[in-house]
C-alpha cells in the first residue's frame, strides 16, 4: 500500500492521542515503515533519529534483536493466560528479579497494563487500606505542575491545566502543594507543605509525586533533598508515599530507579514505559509486605482488592521485560549512560551561546531547554524544522527535550546536536 493511501486511510479512521486533528490539514502525518536502533524510517526510506524514545518507552532501540528473540520465543509457548488463579514463568521471573533490584520494603508486585492504570491501582489501594484501618482519609496530595496520567483518577491527582481543567467536575478530591524551582533548596515549599498538613493531613490517603523530574510538566527538575524532607513530613501524618516512576524509572534519571537518589523508599512504586523496552504495554505497582498483609484475609472478611485488567501480567510483555533486565545486567547500562550523558551535557551547554533559548537543564538521560520566541506555537515550528534534519524532537509547549534510547552512539549524538544548532541559527 502506498504512503499516500496510508495517510488517507489514517485520517479517515483514526483519532490520534494528544493531537488536534485539524492540524493535520496542514501538517502531514509521518507513516513509519520500520525502525532499527535509534532510527525510524518512513516508507520512502528516510530515517529519523528517535530523540524522544517514542514517548519515553524505547530504551534499547527499535527492533532490538535480543528483546525481539525473547518475544518470539515466548509467543511460541504461551501468549496469554488470566492472572486470576493462574500464573506463568515470565511473570514469576520478572517479579523476583524486580524485587531483587528494589529495597526490601518493596517486595510485592501488582500488575496492570499501562502507566495510568498503575496510578489508579496505587490510589485505590492506598484509599482502600485506609478504610480497612477505619481511617477517614479521602483526599490525595500531589505537587503543583505534576502529571500522572489521563484516566480520571490519575487526572485527579495531576496539576497540569491543559490536561485536567475540562474534567474538573468529575475528578476526585485532590490537594496540591508547591514544587521547588530548578536549583532551589525548597524551603518555601516545605513551609507551604507543613501548613497544608497541619490543616488537612489527617484527611489525606497518599502523597504522589514524580521523583526528580516532572516529565510532562515541561521537564521540570527539582531536588532530591526536597523530596526527602517532604516525604518525611507527610509520613509524620500517616500518609502513604506513591512514587510515579513511570517515566523516570529504569535508568532515565541516572540510577536504576529515581527513589535511590532521594533517600526515600515509597509505600508504592509505579513503573511502566521502559519496563518492556517499548515492545508491549505493561505496568506494575510494587509495594511493601505490610500493605499486602492488609488485604490478606479470608474472603468472607471483605478485605480483597478487587481490581483487574484482562491483559494483566501478559506473558509476552513480561518476557520482553525480563530481556530488558538482562540487557541492563550484561551491558552495565547505568555506567555506560553516565559516559553518554556527560557527552550530551557538553553538547547542551554549548548551546548557551544562542540567545533564543533559556533554562538548559539535565538529569541522567533527560535533557531540555526552553525556546524564547514570539512565534505562535514555537515548539511545533521547532519540531517541523527538526524533521528536516532527520530528528524527532516532539516538544512540550515551548520546551524542547531530548530523551534518546540508551543505545545512541557518539556519532549519532553529534548528528543530533549539529541539527539542533542549525535550527537555532535560523529560528
Amino acid at each position: 500500500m502506498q504512503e499516500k493511501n496510508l495517510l488517507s486511510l489514517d485520517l479517515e479512521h483514526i483519532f490520534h492521542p494528544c493531537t488536534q486533528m485539524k492540524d493535520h490539514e496542514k501538517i502531514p502525518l509521518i507513516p513509519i515503515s520500520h525502525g532499527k536502533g535509534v532510527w525510524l524510517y518512513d516508507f520512502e526510506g528516510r530515517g529519523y533519529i528517535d530523540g524522544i524514545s517514542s514517548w519515553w518507552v524505547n530504551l534499547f532501540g527499535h527492533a532490538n534483536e535480543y528483546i525481539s528473540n525473547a518475544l518470539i520465543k515466548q509467543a511460541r509457548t504461551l501468549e496469554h493466560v488470566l492472572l486470576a488463579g493462574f500464573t506463568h514463568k515470565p511473570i514469576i521471573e520478572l517479579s523476583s528479579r524486580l524485587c531483587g533490584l528494589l529495597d526490601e520494603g518493596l517486595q510485592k508486585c501488582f500488575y496492570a497494563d499501562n502507566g495510568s492504570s498503575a496510578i489508579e491501582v496505587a490510589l485505590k489501594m492506598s484509599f482502600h487500606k485506609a478504610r480497612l484501618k477505619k481511617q477517614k482519609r479521602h483526599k490525595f496530595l500531589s505537587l503543583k505542575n505534576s502529571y500522572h496520567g489521563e484516566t480520571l483518577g490519575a487526572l485527579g491527582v495531576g496539576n497540569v491545566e491543559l490536561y485536567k481543567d475540562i474534567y474538573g467536575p468529575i475528578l476526585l478530591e485532590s490537594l496540591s502543594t508547591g514544587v521547588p524551582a530548578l536549583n532551589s533548596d525548597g524551603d518555601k515549599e516545605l513551609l507551604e507543605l507543613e501548613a497544608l498538613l497541619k490543616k488537612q493531613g489527617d484527611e489525606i490517603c497518599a502523597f504522589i509525586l514524580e521523583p526528580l523530574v516532572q516529565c510532562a510538566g515541561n521537564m521540570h527538575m527539582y531536588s532530591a533533598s526536597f523530596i526527602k524532607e517532604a516525604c518525611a513530613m507527610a509520613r509524620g501524618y500517616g500518609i502513604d508515599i506513591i512514587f510515579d516512576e513511570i517515566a523516570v524509572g529504569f535508568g532515565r534519571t541516572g540510577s536504576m530507579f529515581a527513589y535511590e537518589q532521594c533517600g526515600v523508599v515509597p509505600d508504592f512504586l509505579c513503573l511502566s514505559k521502559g519496563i518492556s523496552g517499548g515492545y508491549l504495554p505493561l505496568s506494575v505497582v510494587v509495594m511493601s509486605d505490610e500493605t499486602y498483609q492488609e488485604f490478606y484475609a479470608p474472603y468472607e472478611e471483605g478485605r480483597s482488592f478487587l481490581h483487574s485488567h484482562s491483559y494483566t501480567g501478559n506473558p509476552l510483555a513480561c518476557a520482553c521485560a525480563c530481556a530488558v533486565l538482562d540487557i541492563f545486567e550484561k551491558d552495565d547500562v547505568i555506567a555506560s549512560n553516565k559516559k553518554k550523558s556527560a557527552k550530551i551535557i557538553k553538547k547542551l551547554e554549548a548551546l548557551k551561546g544562542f540567545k533564543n533559548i533559556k533554562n538548559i537543564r539535565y538529569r541522567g538521560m533527560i535533557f531540555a531547554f526552553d525556546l524564547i520566541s514570539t512565534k505562535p506555537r514555537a515548539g511545533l515550528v521547532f519540531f517541523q524544522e527538526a524533521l528536516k534534519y532527520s530528528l524527532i524532537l516532539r516538544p512540550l509547549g515551548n520546551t524542547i527535550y531530548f530523551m534518546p534510547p540508551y543505545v545512541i552512539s557518539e556519532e549519532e549524538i553529534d548528528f543530533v546536536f549539529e541539527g539542533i544548532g542549525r535550527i537555532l541559527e535560523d529560528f
Side-chain angles (χ1 to χ4, degrees), residues 95-107:
S95 303
S96 176
R97 292 177 68 181
L98 266 180
C99 291
L101 292 171
L102 297 169
D103 188 272
E104 62 182 13
L106 295 166
Q107 291 298 304

Side-chain angles (χ1 to χ4, degrees), residues 5 9 18 31 43 51 72 89 100 123 128 160 168 183 206 223 270 274 287 318 326 331 397 407 409 424:
N5 290 339
L9 284 170
C18 282
F43 281 79
I72 292 166
K89 185 178 177 181
L123 297 176
H128 194 158
V160 179
N183 300 323
S223 71
C270 299
M287 73 209 73
C318 290
D326 288 344
D331 292 349
V407 295
S409 69
L424 291 175

Side-chain angles (χ1 to χ4, degrees), residues 37-337:
V38 300
W39 293 88
L40 290 167
Y41 297 89
D42 64 22
F43 281 79
E44 295 179 351
R46 182 174 183 181
Y48 306 85
I49 285 186
D50 185 357
I52 61 167
S53 297
S54 288
W55 254 343
W56 323 338
V57 301
N58 189 291
L59 301 187
F60 299 119
H62 297 281
N64 180 284
E65 186 174 355
Y66 187 81
I67 303 174
S68 295
N69 286 338
L71 174 59
I72 292 166
K73 182 179 179 181
Q74 183 59 43
R76 289 175 176 152
T77 305
L78 177 67
E79 83 298 336
H80 187 63
V81 64
L82 74 162
L83 205 60
F86 296 85
T87 191
H88 52 82
K89 185 178 177 181
I91 200 168
I92 294 169
E93 179 186 347
L94 175 60
S95 303
S96 176
R97 292 177 68 181
L98 266 180
C99 291
L101 292 171
L102 297 169
D103 188 272
E104 62 182 13
L106 295 166
Q107 291 298 304
K108 287 291 192 295
C109 299
F110 192 102
Y111 286 87
D113 51 20
N114 64 80
S116 294
S117 294
I119 298 299
E120 300 282 341
V121 168
L123 297 176
K124 285 176 65 177
M125 197 173 285
S126 177
F127 173 80
H128 194 158
K129 185 176 73 167
R131 291 293 294 268
L132 293 174
K133 290 182 173 183
K134 311 298 183 186
Q135 297 174 347
K136 295 182 179 179
R137 298 178 184 269
H138 61 283
K139 297 178 182 177
F140 293 91
L141 175 64
S142 61
L143 294 176
K144 293 174 182 174
N145 192 53
S146 64
Y147 170 93
H148 298 289
E150 291 170 38
T151 49
L152 290 179
L155 268 181
V157 294
N159 201 249
V160 179
E161 294 178 357
L162 176 66
Y163 302 102
K164 179 176 180 176
D165 275 9
I166 190 67
Y167 305 105
I170 57 173
L171 299 180
L172 55 78
E173 191 170 359
S174 180
L175 305 168
S176 63
T177 189
V179 61
L182 182 69
N183 300 323
S184 166
D185 56 16
D187 287 348
K188 177 172 69 72
E189 288 75 20
L190 288 172
L191 288 173
E192 178 185 345
L193 174 60
E194 183 179 31
L196 186 152
L197 292 173
K198 284 180 178 179
K199 187 176 180 180
Q200 300 182 79
D202 59 354
E203 301 174 26
I204 299 169
C205 297
F207 179 26
I208 181 170
L209 59 160
E210 302 162 273
L212 302 178
V213 185
Q214 295 179 312
C215 290
N218 295 99
M219 296 297 164
H220 177 67
M221 302 177 187
Y222 64 111
S223 71
S225 60
F226 168 80
I227 293 169
K228 184 175 182 179
E229 290 296 321
C231 289
M233 289 170 62
R235 279 189 163 149
Y237 287 83
I239 296 169
D240 286 335
I241 304 298
I242 301 172
F243 272 10
D244 173 355
E245 292 212 29
I246 288 159
V248 300
F250 295 100
R252 191 53 80 174
T253 64
S255 53
M256 188 63 173
F257 302 103
Y259 84 84
E260 298 172 54
Q261 300 178 49
C262 301
V264 178
V265 179
D267 298 285
F268 300 93
L269 178 66
C270 299
L271 302 169
S272 189
K273 289 195 181 288
I275 191 172
S276 69
Y279 270 69
L280 287 165
L282 182 68
S283 65
V284 62
V285 181
V286 193
M287 73 209 73
S288 67
D289 277 312
E290 180 183 358
T291 294
Y292 172 81
Q293 290 298 329
E294 289 293 333
F295 299 91
Y296 194 90
Y299 185 83
E300 293 75 18
E301 291 188 14
R303 302 179 74 87
S304 302
F305 184 65
L306 300 178
H307 181 104
S308 63
H309 301 271
S310 300
Y311 281 88
T312 289
N314 174 258
L316 300 174
C318 290
C320 292
C322 288
V324 165
L325 294 185
D326 288 344
I327 296 171
F328 269 106
E329 290 177 9
K330 66 186 179 69
D331 292 349
D332 196 7
V333 172
I334 301 300
S336 175
N337 278 357

Side-chain angles (χ1 to χ4, degrees), residues 313-370:
N314 174 258
L316 300 174
C318 290
C320 292
C322 288
V324 165
L325 294 185
D326 288 344
I327 296 171
F328 269 106
E329 290 177 9
K330 66 186 179 69
D331 292 349
D332 196 7
V333 172
I334 301 300
S336 175
N337 278 357
K338 288 180 180 177
K339 295 177 182 178
K340 291 180 181 179
S341 177
K343 178 180 176 68
I344 295 171
I345 288 169
K346 287 182 180 179
K347 294 284 186 179
L348 195 63
E349 291 284 358
L351 300 179
K352 284 184 175 178
F354 289 101
K355 303 300 183 184
N356 48 5
I357 67 170
K358 63 178 180 179
N359 198 18
I360 290 175
R361 54 205 185 272
Y362 39 83
R363 172 87 66 169
M365 288 291 282
I366 304 173
F367 313 90
F369 60 82
D370 299 327

